[in-house]
Amino acid sequence: MLNKKKFAERLKELRQNKEVSTRSLANAVGLKSHGAITQFEKGTSLPALDTLVALAEFFAVTLDYLVGLTDFPQPIPDNIKKIIDQTGHPEALMIILNQISIDENGQILLHSEEHKKDESGIEELMRGLDQESMLELRKFLRYLHTRQSLGEIDEPSAGLDITPKKSQAR
């Protein structure tokens, strides 16, 4: 179900992060009035489905993220979903993936000292993965590391062989 409050917050945050005016955004997604964007951001009105799709494409995020159904702005690639599905605890794997990166030597690093105890948990989760999945996991971790080191404008260039959205494929 659409989370009206989360949608309003996300839309405003995405627009402000991209430094786009309500007028420019309205024009970009085919709305006649920038007041509609203001109403969406205040949570007093909801856009039509075609406008939601246009907003998601404009900001290069998923509809699920825009409407508050997920906290992942980008789709999770199928090869990563396969790795997650192979683990006995996919939720734990996602938490751990969000807490780790790879250094320049290819070593997996936890972002916080308090998570050192989770290292054995990472090993346990990785234990059941086949060689192909381990290679995909390393590739994904390198992608995450690269993405974190890039600025917002350069982020799409980190690449993960994800089919680009219309607004990115120019």
Side-chain angles (χ1 to χ4, degrees), residues 151-162:
E152 185 177 309
I153 294 171
D154 295 329
E155 198 170 291
S157 66
L160 190 58
D161 299 326
I162 298 173

Side-chain angles (χ1 to χ4, degrees), residues 86-87 119-130 134:
Q86 285 184 8
T87 68
E119 288 178 356
S120 62
I122 293 171
E123 290 173 9
E124 181 182 329
L125 289 169
M126 293 177 4
R127 205 169 289 139
L129 300 179
D130 60 23
M134 288 298 292

Side-chain angles (χ1 to χ4, degrees), residues 38-93:
T38 303
Q39 289 178 345
F40 301 156
E41 290 180 356
K42 288 181 179 179
T44 58
S45 178
L46 289 173
L49 183 58
D50 60 333
T51 303
L52 272 174
V53 171
L55 287 165
E57 287 179 351
F58 180 83
F59 292 114
V61 298
T62 64
L63 280 171
D64 285 353
Y65 176 78
L66 187 59
V67 300
L69 296 177
T70 181
D71 290 327
F72 297 101
Q74 303 300 320
I76 299 173
D78 288 339
N79 54 354
I80 301 304
K81 285 181 187 174
K82 179 181 171 189
I83 293 169
I84 294 167
D85 291 342
Q86 285 184 8
T87 68
H89 309 284
E91 296 85 10
L93 179 60

Side-chain angles (χ1 to χ4, degrees), residues 89-118:
H89 309 284
E91 296 85 10
L93 179 60
M94 289 307 298
I95 290 168
I96 292 169
L97 283 174
N98 285 321
Q99 297 172 353
I100 58 178
S101 62
I102 297 179
D103 68 10
E104 56 277 351
N105 298 321
Q107 298 296 313
I108 296 175
L109 303 173
L110 289 169
H111 293 293
S112 168
E113 288 297 316
E114 71 181 14
H115 298 293
K116 281 200 173 194
K117 62 184 176 192
D118 290 337

Side-chain angles (χ1 to χ4, degrees), residues 15 18-27 34 37 41:
R15 183 182 61 77
K18 200 163 183 170
E19 298 179 356
V20 176
S21 69
T22 56
R23 187 175 309 278
S24 295
L25 180 57
N27 288 335
H34 70 94
I37 299 294
E41 290 180 356

